[in-house]
Amino acid sequence: MLPAALLALPVALAASGSLPPLERNLRHRDLARSATSRSPVSKRTLEPKAGSVPLGGYEVVGNSGVSAQMMFLGTADTVYILDKTENNSLTLTTNGVTHPAWGVSYDLNTNAVTPMEVTSNTFCAGGLSVGNGSWVVFGGNQPVTYNGVAVSDTTNNPSGANPYDDADGGAAIRLLTPCEDDSCGWQQGGSALTMSSKRWYPTIEGLADGSLVVLGGDTNGGYVSTYAQNNPTYEYWPKQSSGSISMAFLNATVPVNLFPLTWLTSSGKLFMQAAYKTILYDMDTKTETALPDMPYAQRVYPASAAAVMLPLTPANNYTQTILFCGGSAANLSKSTDGGAGFNVTAVQADDSCVRINPDDASPQYTDDDSLPEPRSMGQLIYLPDGTMWLGNGVGMGTAGYGNEKYSLGQSYGQDPVYMPAIYNPNAPAGSRFSRTGLSASPHERMYHSTAILLADGSILVSGSNPNADVTTVQWGTSYVVEKWYPLWYSKTRPTPSAFPDSLSYGGAAWNLTYTPTNSSSNPGNTKVVVIRTGFSTHCMNFGQRYLELETSYSLDQASGQVTLYVSQMPPNANIFQPGPAMIFLVVDGVPSTGQLLAIGSGAIETQTMNAASVLPQSSVVVAPSSSNTTASASSVSGTALSAAKSAALAQRALPTFPSSMLLGLMILLGAFVWA
């Protein structure tokens, strides 16, 4: 049963519906302070696996129980997996009724699964975490029976049988607060957990107050959208009295607008891409600003490019850059909700990559390095060192499936790509993709595959099921769970003294200490990064972001210990929204194990923006030499950080003096004193 506070959401939010549009981010403040609190932050982590692992390659570690169409990291050692309603052999019994499971928790330490009750059909749902640490999953499809036949289909299911005992998931909302002992479950049903309309393939994006916006989708599903099935609206959660709000862009992009690619920008607007169109959308004024069309190929489902916001760093002034790689230029105007309408498996996937900075004065798509090979349904996952893993997908066709027998099985995608690659956004053009030291997986990862970063720095990969129901016919339903191991995985990990339980937006800096194992380590290259791993489905990770915090340091040469002075988050919640994330210390390119922490206040509310603190200048405490018994000196280098320029997120550097000048000044002062 839902907590009373959450059951009160519709009433409380109806009262906030009369607020002026520009006060949208205040709508949950009073409610959130009284009704929601931060989930406890666990100090547990996932330690790197001892012994030999296939560096740069894959290892089979378990069985997912249900095919991993959706997946997210709930705690440092617990992953939650959702499938569509289908005939999985894993079952559970609720109220005396036994039916196939389509939800599990997966223990990363034991690789054991525990089935979880999910009452409605989660087929092609979307989800994300909110500001208090809970996860929310939206939409899905109608109840089905064997082979994906709708229960209501009087021709193919004349008896109306419902052997899976699933409810309609179209308007469903499911809420989970992760736990470490399998005591938590999905909260479902009731008006607070029902959307204003059905959404199959909706996009979910986080907002600056820790709430969510739910965009687009179809009413009942199919290969592509049609005007009859399209849902050209969006709504908020927690729910508002406004209900569904129309958006012209979601009509203009039919039929290629399911799972519209969407990111909240630093300005508070939504960057949106579907079909070949791109816009910035102002949620306060409900206005669209047209941006240049997408070049070369379609990137949204079913073309399904790999798409990600590049890491946000002090070096790039936290500039938001969106990368799109692959997809398909197939003529999907021939397609309908009933199928492709042509042999889409014969169309090669796209290999182009393009970038765009949404908040530029005049945003433009620019070419990036091409993919190593054409790829649809590829997936880009952050690694803590600032590079990205590219995996999964196919070289021919698109996402989706049908019974036309265009090629092997039901899959509209063929020619699986088994080989991963590493993308380095900071490498010189022409050398950003690398496969040095990498090896292929023996398991195809096609439609309905997923991948997420884990706290030990590995990537969990699972799923693949381009079929209407469970099958062993090629390309069959996969339950294989793999880990992919970065090349640095077995290196000695840095050990930070402690990470905080939460980070605020601006505010007082904090410290950690570590001692590098390499005496020649340069602490100026050390970084502290915050990563939201997101909600993985359909080659996307909703909410995935990477941010490097401002740092300076003090190095004690005698002991080798480094004290790192670390800023809070930049004072703009649009850059990295409130909610759960992982934090890593990265030394000489090797990360510590990650720890979960809360970003923001731990509630769905307007976040307090504090002035950024000024970090101490970086310094080196020089060890006294054996021939000099006087007090040791400090040589100072680095850049002092200005609170004003951090708050503005503009100028990244202040004038500095070379350490040699400072040492010279200290020597002169010393000579004056001894004289």
Side-chain angles (χ1 to χ4, degrees), residues 271 273 278 291-297 299 306 308 310 319-326 350-358 360 362-371 423 425 429-430 432-433:
F271 172 87
Q273 203 286 311
T278 311
L291 299 181
D293 284 352
M294 172 64 69
Y296 307 124
R299 312 292 181 171
V308 70
L310 297 184
T319 299
Q320 295 174 318
T321 301
I322 313 296
L323 174 71
F324 302 85
C325 285
D350 183 72
D351 68 351
S352 68
C353 292
V354 295
R355 297 183 179 197
I356 191 170
N357 298 351
D360 279 358
S362 179
Q364 300 291 324
Y365 286 105
T366 59
D367 289 350
D368 203 339
D369 290 6
S370 295
L371 292 170
Y423 175 82
R432 289 177 180 151
F433 286 102

Side-chain angles (χ1 to χ4, degrees), residues 6-143:
L6 277 176
L7 289 172
L9 281 171
V11 175
L13 292 174
S16 71
S18 60
L19 290 172
L22 291 179
E23 295 186 31
R24 172 175 55 81
N25 282 340
L26 301 178
R27 65 187 181 275
H28 305 308
R29 180 189 57 197
D30 295 334
L31 169 70
R33 285 175 176 167
S34 62
T36 59
S37 58
R38 177 185 298 153
S39 301
V41 176
S42 172
K43 292 292 187 181
R44 289 167 59 172
T45 188
L46 183 69
E47 295 297 336
K49 181 179 178 180
S52 176
V53 298
L55 298 177
Y58 296 81
E59 179 185 33
V60 174
V61 295
N63 182 299
S64 58
V66 303
S67 193
Q69 185 181 118
M70 292 154 273
M71 183 164 68
F72 63 92
L73 184 68
T75 73
D77 52 11
T78 307
V79 166
Y80 294 93
I81 296 173
L82 292 169
D83 192 2
K84 68 180 187 290
T85 300
E86 58 182 332
N87 199 21
N88 294 308
S89 59
L90 181 68
T91 63
L92 75 166
T93 302
T94 303
N95 298 325
V97 177
T98 300
H99 64 82
W102 55 93
V104 300
S105 63
Y106 185 94
D107 187 315
L108 293 167
N109 290 309
T110 65
N111 297 301
V113 298
T114 301
M116 301 180 71
E117 182 63 79
V118 186
T119 57
S120 58
N121 187 356
T122 46
F123 188 19
C124 297
L128 193 54
S129 55
V130 289
N132 71 342
S134 294
W135 289 78
V136 196
V137 175
F138 300 87
N141 207 358
Q142 59 192 317

